[in-house]
């Protein structure tokens, strides 16, 4: 029988293991940590009873994934009434709604027809677009015209697309916050792609969270793998290549170099050695004694909130990731999932992007930015947990 080892138990590693085990391959997943899941995991890192997602937390691509939809597993998605909110200094918020028409009602009238013409073709054919975007980089497109239409806008810098398509503050700000998920300068070519995909996903299938946290998804994948005969080993760090027919490494380039060493072809090894890591995140997980007191009450309709103000402010903050008013991605899952915190209490997390390798403390600027749009936020904090890490979401979530 063919044998395979998967190094790393993130969602990509577990998904690969499921495919192999389904094909009759004897498959083992090895995870160095006691808990499986990688960036798709949940733990009580502040106080008992407060469940915090350690990496990804919201799943606009996960719920749209053709692979996940093909599995006989139950994923308890929870859909907030609005995928995303973006508050502004005037006390209002512009919302990405499930409906395109409800979204354009948030925008200045001059931008409504342009928003429809940009998003409707992508939303109408999103089930065809997703496999093209999630497939191998080098593949023969099944829908070349659709992919070309997407690429005409997606390859632009987000700042250029926002300025050319929209004239109003609200539409530009909404798109800037979505594009900032790319972890690129909004003036970089290709940064528009992430904004477009997240917008279309929000309209097509929403931005759900998962009941009880990201770990629920990991555990469902693990149970399915084991039902197929696959095996998962934890607390075992791989230091050399396993003696199996196939090896798939769900790890970073530096980790693969340490594990594989001279076994790799010299040209590939040099590519790994030259790999440039992107920005990291400074993340704060909060245990709260009440919901966040947003000035714009409509922010409570969304699990995901973008804090950064206008397009120009977000462009400036994402150039070098050192701004004193950074773009903040905040998620408040307990508004929609009571299992995340004790009765009457809440959890939230927020992060900003930081330069790779930065050790700079960003707690004060993150909380100042939250207070800007939610005065009194600091009074809600019971305790917090800080982490500085490479940016990683497992590829399927936020």
């Amino acid at each position: 029988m063919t044998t395979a080892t998967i190094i790393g138990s993130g969602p990509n590693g577990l998904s690969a293991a499921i495919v192999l085990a389904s094909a009759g391959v004897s498959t083992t997943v090895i995870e160095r940590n006691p808990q499986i899941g990688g960036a798709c995991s949940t733990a009580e890192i502040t106080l008992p009873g407060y469940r915090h997602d350690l990496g990804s937390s919201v799943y606009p691509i996960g719920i749209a994934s053709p692979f996940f939809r093909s599995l006989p597993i139950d994923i308890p998605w929870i859909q907030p009434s609005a995928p995303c909110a973006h508050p502004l200094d005037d006390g209002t918020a512009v919302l990405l709604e499930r409906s395109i028409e409800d979204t354009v009602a948030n925008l200045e009238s001059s931008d409504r027809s342009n928003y429809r013409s940009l998003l409707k073709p992508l939303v109408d054919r999103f089930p065809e677009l997703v496999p093209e975007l999630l497939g191998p980089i080098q593949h023969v497109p099944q829908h070349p015209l659709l992919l070309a239409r997407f690429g005409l806008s997606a390859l632009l810098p987000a700042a250029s697309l926002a300025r050319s398509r929209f004239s109003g503050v609200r539409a530009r700000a909404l798109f800037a916050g979505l594009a900032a998920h790319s972890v690129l300068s909004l003036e970089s070519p290709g940064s528009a792609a992430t904004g477009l995909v997240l917008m279309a996903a929000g309209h097509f299938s929403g931005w759900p969270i998962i009941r009880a946290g990201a770990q629920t998804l990991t555990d469902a994948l693990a149970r399915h793998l084991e039902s197929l005969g696959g095996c998962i080993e934890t607390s075992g760090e791989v230091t050399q290549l396993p003696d199996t027919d196939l090896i798939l490494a769900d790890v970073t380039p530096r980790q693969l170099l340490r594990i594989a060493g001279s076994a790799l072809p010299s040209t590939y090894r040099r590519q790994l050695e030259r790999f440039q890591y992107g920005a990291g995140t400074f993340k704060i997980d909060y245990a709260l004694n009440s919901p966040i007191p947003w000035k714009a009450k409509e922010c409570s309709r969304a699990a995901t909130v973008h804090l950064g103000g206008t397009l120009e402010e977000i462009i400036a903050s994402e150039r070098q990731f050192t701004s004193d008013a950074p773009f903040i991605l905040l998620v408040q899952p307990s508004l929609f999932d009571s299992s995340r915190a004790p009765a009457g209490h809440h959890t939230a997390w927020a992060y900003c992007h930081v330069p790779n390798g930065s050790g700079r403390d960003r707690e004060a600027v993150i909380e100042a930015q939250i207070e800007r749009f939610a005065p009194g936020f600091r009074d809600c904090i019971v305790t917090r947990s800080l982490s500085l890490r490479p940016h990683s979401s497992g590829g399927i979530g936020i």
Side-chain angles (χ1 to χ4, degrees):
M1 176 183 288
T2 303
T3 58
T5 300
I6 313 296
I7 305 172
S9 67
N12 294 325
L14 291 173
S15 296
I18 287 170
V19 171
L20 290 171
S22 298
V25 177
S26 177
T27 304
T28 299
V29 176
I30 302 179
E31 169 58 51
R32 71 174 180 176
N33 296 309
Q35 178 174 319
I36 62 171
C40 190
S41 54
T42 308
E44 296 180 352
I45 58 174
T46 55
L47 293 169
Y50 295 84
R51 294 180 56 81
H52 303 274
D53 290 328
L54 305 184
S56 60
S57 194
V58 184
Y59 296 92
I61 303 303
I63 194 171
S65 164
F67 177 71
F68 283 175
R69 291 202 306 271
S70 74
L71 298 178
I73 63 174
D74 177 31
I75 304 174
W77 305 112
I78 297 176
Q79 291 276 13
S81 64
C84 178
H86 189 120
L88 298 169
D89 285 321
D90 63 2
T92 69
V94 55
L95 269 65
L96 178 68
E97 301 271 13
R98 288 295 302 274
S99 158
I100 289 179
E101 289 307 310
D102 288 344
T103 300
V104 299
N106 280 276
L107 308 179
E108 291 90 341
S109 58
S110 60
D111 289 326
R112 292 172 183 172
S113 63
N114 281 346
Y115 188 96
R116 290 188 193 97
S117 65
L118 180 63
L119 269 299
K120 192 172 187 304
L122 301 180
V123 175
D124 287 347
R125 299 188 64 187
F126 199 67
E128 299 166 23
L129 180 63
V130 168
E132 301 281 17
L133 300 178
L134 297 184
I137 294 175
Q138 295 181 340
H139 74 284
V140 177
Q142 298 299 305
H143 305 282
L145 295 180
L146 174 62
L147 201 57
R149 178 167 188 156
F150 170 75
L152 287 173
S153 296
L155 294 176
L156 293 172
S160 299
L161 181 63
R163 288 169 175 153
S164 64
R165 284 284 188 161
F166 306 123
S167 60
V169 170
R170 297 175 72 81
R172 287 181 172 185
L174 177 64
F175 186 73
L178 291 156
H181 284 260
S182 68
V183 206
L184 296 171
S185 164
L186 270 62
E187 296 160 312
S188 298
S191 55
T194 297
L196 290 171
V197 170
L198 291 178
M199 273 183 164
H203 291 311
F204 182 77
S205 52
W207 286 22
I209 61 174
I210 300 176
R211 189 173 306 282
Q215 194 70 44
T216 300
L217 173 58
T218 291
D219 292 345
L221 292 173
R223 286 193 299 270
H224 183 51
L225 172 61
E226 290 170 341
S227 75
L228 297 170
C231 176
I232 301 174
E233 299 177 2
T234 59
S235 301
E237 184 162 5
V238 177
T239 58
Q240 60 185 11
L241 291 177
D243 184 18
T244 50
D245 298 314
L246 300 172
I247 302 168
L248 280 70
D250 186 15
V251 298
T252 70
R254 289 176 190 165
Q255 289 173 311
L256 183 57
L257 281 169
R258 287 197 299 268
I259 294 168
S262 59
L264 298 172
S266 58
T267 53
Y268 183 51
R269 189 167 63 249
R270 285 194 294 271
Q271 289 179 328
L272 294 179
E273 290 168 348
R274 291 195 299 266
F275 183 85
Q276 296 293 310
Y277 286 81
T281 58
F282 188 99
K283 179 173 180 276
I284 309 177
D285 287 281
Y286 293 103
L288 305 173
N289 59 22
S290 68
I292 297 173
W294 300 109
K295 279 194 293 186
K297 303 303 182 186
E298 55 267 40
C299 288
S300 296
R301 292 183 50 223
T304 307
V305 184
H306 292 159
L307 307 175
T310 64
L311 167 69
E312 288 72 24
E313 288 179 281
I314 297 173
I315 290 172
S317 72
E318 294 290 285
R319 278 183 182 141
Q320 299 295 329
F321 305 134
T322 56
S323 169
D324 287 338
F327 171 75
I328 306 297
L329 174 62
L330 183 145
V331 174
Q332 46 186 2
S334 59
L335 288 181
F336 311 94
D337 179 6
S338 61
S339 71
R340 304 294 186 101
H345 286 229
H346 289 271
T347 61
W349 61 258
Y351 74 55
C352 68
H353 300 133
V354 295
N356 182 265
S358 171
R360 188 177 178 186
D361 188 333
R362 305 294 279 163
E363 176 186 344
V365 297
I366 286 176
E367 293 184 359
Q369 192 76 309
I370 300 173
E371 283 273 344
R372 171 183 171 186
F373 300 102
F377 168 73
R378 288 191 180 97
D379 296 334
C380 304
I381 300 171
V382 177
T383 190
R384 57 176 71 77
S385 174
L386 279 59
S387 60
L388 182 63
R389 64 187 68 188
H391 184 80
S392 175
S393 65
I396 55 169
I398 293 168

